[in-house]
């Protein structure tokens, strides 16, 4: 009769907890000297690992990290200047044609009922509010995640 030995993961599971082990594993270990020796070695290894003391630094790691963070500030003014210039450029590109064709733009809206314009404006405002709330929630989640460290 040929029996195959247990895998290392099966022996490790047996060595860690014998409560919820398959009967075939328990039966094999009781009859196989090689697997029983491996299980004993794994038990001894797991006991030694549990007895190891936790590593500790002889310095405060959080102080070192915070000191580096405060020194490495990004040039915020460059980023803000770029954003403001981009916004100004987009507004200029929109304002110039609007000024040139202002008479035709006013005629564009004369045939539309006031109720339709109000509904469109309210819909846009509601969408803007919901999007703003979502952006704020994402900001809060990211802020909480950073503060949990």
């Amino acid at each position: 009769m040929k029996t195959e030995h247990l895998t290392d993961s099966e022996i490790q599971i047996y060595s860690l907890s014998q409560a919820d082990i398959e009967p075939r594993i328990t039966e094999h270990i009781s009859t196989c000297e090689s697997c029983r020796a491996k299980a004993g070695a794994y038990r001894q290894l797991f006991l030694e690992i549990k007895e190891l003391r936790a590593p500790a630094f002889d310095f405060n790691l959080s102080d070192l990290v915070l000191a580096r963070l405060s020194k490495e500030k990004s040039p915020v003014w460059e980023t803000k200047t770029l954003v403001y210039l981009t916004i100004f450029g987009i507004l200029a590109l929109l304002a110039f044609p609007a000024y040139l064709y202002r008479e035709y733009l006013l005629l564009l809206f004369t045939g539309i009922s006031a109720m339709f314009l109000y509904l469109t404006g309210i819909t846009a405002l509601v969408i803007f509010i919901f999007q703003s709330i979502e952006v704020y929630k994402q900001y809060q989640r990211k802020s909480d995640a950073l503060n949990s460290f």
Side-chain angles (χ1 to χ4, degrees), residues 11-137:
I11 295 173
Q12 289 171 6
I13 292 171
Y14 174 82
S15 299
L16 283 174
S17 66
Q18 297 176 353
D20 52 347
I21 303 298
E22 296 177 27
R24 70 171 183 84
I25 294 175
T26 309
E27 181 181 327
H28 180 84
I29 289 197
S30 65
T31 59
C32 179
E33 185 62 35
S34 172
C35 291
R36 191 175 324 125
K38 281 185 182 180
Y42 276 123
R43 266 197 210 108
Q44 185 65 30
L45 177 68
F46 293 145
L47 285 174
E48 292 293 327
I49 290 173
K50 284 181 185 177
E51 290 177 3
L52 286 176
R53 79 183 172 104
F57 296 116
D58 58 347
F59 53 88
N60 191 349
L61 186 62
S62 61
D63 288 341
L64 291 174
V65 170
L66 289 175
R68 294 220 31 194
L69 287 177
S70 64
K71 289 180 184 175
E72 297 176 3
K73 290 186 177 179
S74 64
V76 176
W77 65 270
E78 291 178 3
T79 307
K80 285 185 177 180
T81 305
L82 182 63
V83 169
Y84 291 143
L85 285 175
T86 305
I87 290 173
F88 178 75
I90 291 171
L91 288 175
L93 286 174
L94 293 175
F96 184 70
Y99 178 75
L100 286 178
Y101 301 109
R102 64 186 178 275
E103 296 158 1
Y104 300 109
L105 289 175
L106 292 174
L107 292 175
L108 182 68
F109 295 108
T110 56
I112 299 175
S113 70
M115 182 60 77
F116 180 74
L117 288 176
Y118 291 138
L119 288 176
T120 305
I122 291 171
T123 304
L125 183 65
V126 167
I127 290 172
F128 176 75
I129 289 170
F130 281 121
Q131 290 293 323
S132 299
I133 291 170
E134 181 62 29
V135 168
Y136 182 72
K137 285 181 181 178

